[in-house]
């Protein structure tokens, strides 16, 4: 105990702050957290690029990495502002877990850890496979993934094993889009390159019941809403069918028209959406 007290005394500065500097930033196609999977899905064909900062010797530091087919990324959940000791994981029953028993972004030190495929290296740019990071995430470190040290397939998976077992098999719910929701989704894609249908369908097909982390709430007497990044989808559930009825901007006009909030996600598209469907969105 004495040794611990001495160490803490000597390293007092470490207790309050520790400075880390990003080595680079990743470019992914996920502009909002809603679009990012909870962990990377290998089956997806997406390509992401990590560009290291120039003039710091980082390019030289990549020497010998090309022979590895996977790397670990250590990164910062930069879109987070808070942490909680107990969190509600998005998958499985609505049950709070200790944050250290989860991969939740809401951690005291918001550090992310992701293993990704390394597809190529061009100068300071790493071409990477599927990942769960949003666009612009700061990266602190890269390490080679070494199966002999890093893979323990038979290790116990705690509470996640139960959840995984409950999700085996085809999704329970069928998700369909009403005419208005289809028109709106197509309008968003054609005019603003905004597309969140695949992720929306995936989430609702598993479980459309109200859940804080999945951002599913009751909406009036017979409907529900789910947050999809800066947007919202309104849906109803009948038996095992989910009907997506409409898509809505996530922000009211008084915010979107306020110059103090000009950085709200998809601000221009949301204003245009209010203008295009004034009656339906009232
Ligand atoms: C469940 S966490 C797991 C991250 C990492 N694989 C880990 O285990 O540390 C993945 C989620 O973090 C969120 N996310 C991704 N990039 C983020 C960022 N830069 N800031 C905050 N949240 C982010 C997305 O919602 C994504 O689905």
């Amino acid at each position: 105990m004495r040794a611990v007290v001495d160490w803490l005394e000597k390293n007092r500065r470490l207790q309050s702050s520790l400075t880390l500097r990003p080595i680079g930033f990743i470019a992914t196609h996920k502009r909002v957290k809603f679009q990012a999977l909870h962990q990377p899905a290998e089956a997806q064909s997406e390509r992401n690029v990590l560009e290291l900062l120039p003039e710091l010797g980082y390019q030289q530091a990549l020497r010998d990495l090309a022979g590895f087919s996977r790397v670990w990324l250590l990164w910062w959940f930069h879109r987070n502002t808070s942490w909680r000791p107990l969190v509600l994981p998005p998958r499985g029953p609505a049950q709070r877990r200790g944050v250290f028993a989860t991969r939740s972004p809401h951690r005291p030190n918001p550090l992310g850890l992701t293993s990704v495929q390394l597809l190529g290296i061009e100068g300071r740019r790493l071409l990477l496979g599927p990942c769960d990071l949003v666009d612009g995430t700061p990266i602190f470190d890269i390490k080679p993934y070494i199966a002999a040290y890093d893979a323990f397939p038979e290790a116990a998976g705690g509470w996640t094993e139960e959840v995984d077992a409950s999700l085996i098999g085809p999704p329970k719910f069928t998700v369909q889009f009403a005419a208005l929701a289809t028109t709106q989704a197509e309008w968003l894609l054609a005019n603003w390159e905004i597309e969140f249908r695949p992720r929306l369908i995936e989430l609702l097909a598993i479980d459309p019941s109200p859940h804080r982390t999945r951002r599913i709430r009751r909406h009036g007497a017979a409907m529900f809403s789910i947050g999809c990044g800066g947007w919202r989808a309104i849906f109803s559930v009948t038996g095992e069918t989910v009907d997506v009825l409409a898509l809505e901007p996530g922000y009211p006009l008084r915010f979107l028209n306020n110059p103090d909030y000009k950085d709200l996600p998809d601000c221009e598209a949301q204003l245009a959406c209010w203008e295009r469907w004034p009656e339906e969105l009232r």
Side-chain angles (χ1 to χ4, degrees):
M1 190 59 198
R2 186 68 239 161
V4 175
V5 173
D6 286 350
W7 186 89
L8 285 174
E9 194 52 42
K10 256 200 339 228
N11 294 282
R12 190 175 287 284
R13 275 191 313 131
L14 270 187
Q15 294 166 55
S16 53
S17 69
L18 182 67
T19 306
L20 295 179
R21 287 194 188 80
I23 57 166
F25 296 85
I26 195 164
T28 74
H29 299 285
K30 299 156 189 126
R31 290 176 310 132
V32 292
K33 292 199 281 175
F34 177 78
Q35 292 172 311
L37 296 173
H38 302 310
Q39 295 293 335
E42 290 302 296
Q44 299 205 343
S45 57
E46 66 177 59
R47 296 287 171 262
N48 301 296
V49 176
L50 166 54
E51 181 152 353
L52 301 183
L53 296 173
E55 296 155 21
L56 295 167
Y58 292 151
Q59 185 166 335
Q60 202 178 6
L62 291 175
R63 188 193 291 169
D64 303 315
L65 189 65
F68 293 87
S69 61
R70 300 194 73 86
V71 289
W72 289 108
L73 299 181
L74 283 134
W75 49 279
W76 183 29
F77 288 105
H78 73 303
R79 299 264 183 98
N80 276 14
T81 49
S82 62
W83 81 277
R84 293 188 282 275
L86 294 181
V87 293
L88 187 60
R91 294 182 328 135
Q95 192 174 334
R96 290 185 189 285
R97 317 269 178 187
V99 70
F100 295 142
T102 74
R103 297 298 192 92
S104 165
H106 303 281
R107 328 185 69 81
N109 292 308
L111 293 172
L113 173 72
T114 298
S115 144
V116 281
Q117 291 170 41
L118 175 62
L119 303 169
I121 301 179
E122 291 161 7
R124 286 181 288 111
R125 288 156 54 92
L126 282 80
L127 183 62
L128 304 172
C131 73
D132 53 2
L133 291 72
V134 297
D135 191 37
T137 296
I139 309 295
F140 287 137
D141 202 3
I142 304 165
K143 297 187 189 210
Y145 174 92
I146 303 174
Y149 311 152
D150 294 339
F152 301 92
E154 58 302 310
W159 62 269
T160 64
E161 286 181 1
E162 218 172 287
V163 170
D164 287 344
S166 73
L167 295 175
I168 287 175
K172 192 157 155 230
F173 293 85
T174 305
V175 181
Q176 51 195 31
F177 277 61
L180 174 62
T182 304
T183 311
Q184 290 173 317
E186 281 164 8
W187 177 84
L188 281 175
L189 183 59
N191 294 285
W192 302 95
E193 292 179 24
I194 293 172
E195 172 66 293
F196 48 82
R197 274 174 295 183
R199 186 82 178 119
L200 176 62
I201 293 170
E202 186 187 330
L203 288 174
L204 292 180
I206 297 172
D207 185 359
S209 53
H211 190 289
R212 209 181 95 170
T213 308
R214 289 199 285 263
R215 296 174 63 205
I216 302 178
R217 296 191 181 88
R218 292 198 178 277
H219 185 87
M223 291 189 285
F224 302 91
S225 73
I226 177 169
C228 316
W231 300 83
R232 244 193 323 254
I234 309 300
F235 64 93
S236 64
V237 183
T238 315
E240 293 184 348
T241 303
V242 177
D243 285 291
V244 178
L245 306 170
L247 307 181
E248 292 189 344
Y251 300 97
L253 281 169
R254 67 175 191 287
F255 285 165
L256 296 166
N257 282 321
N258 183 336
D260 292 347
Y261 292 96
K262 66 175 180 349
D263 292 333
L264 287 178
D266 303 331
C267 191
E268 230 183 305
Q270 298 216 3
L271 278 169
C273 187
W274 278 110
E275 204 169 304
R276 172 82 172 69
W277 284 281
E279 292 303 312
E280 293 81 348
L281 299 179
R282 219 152 20 113

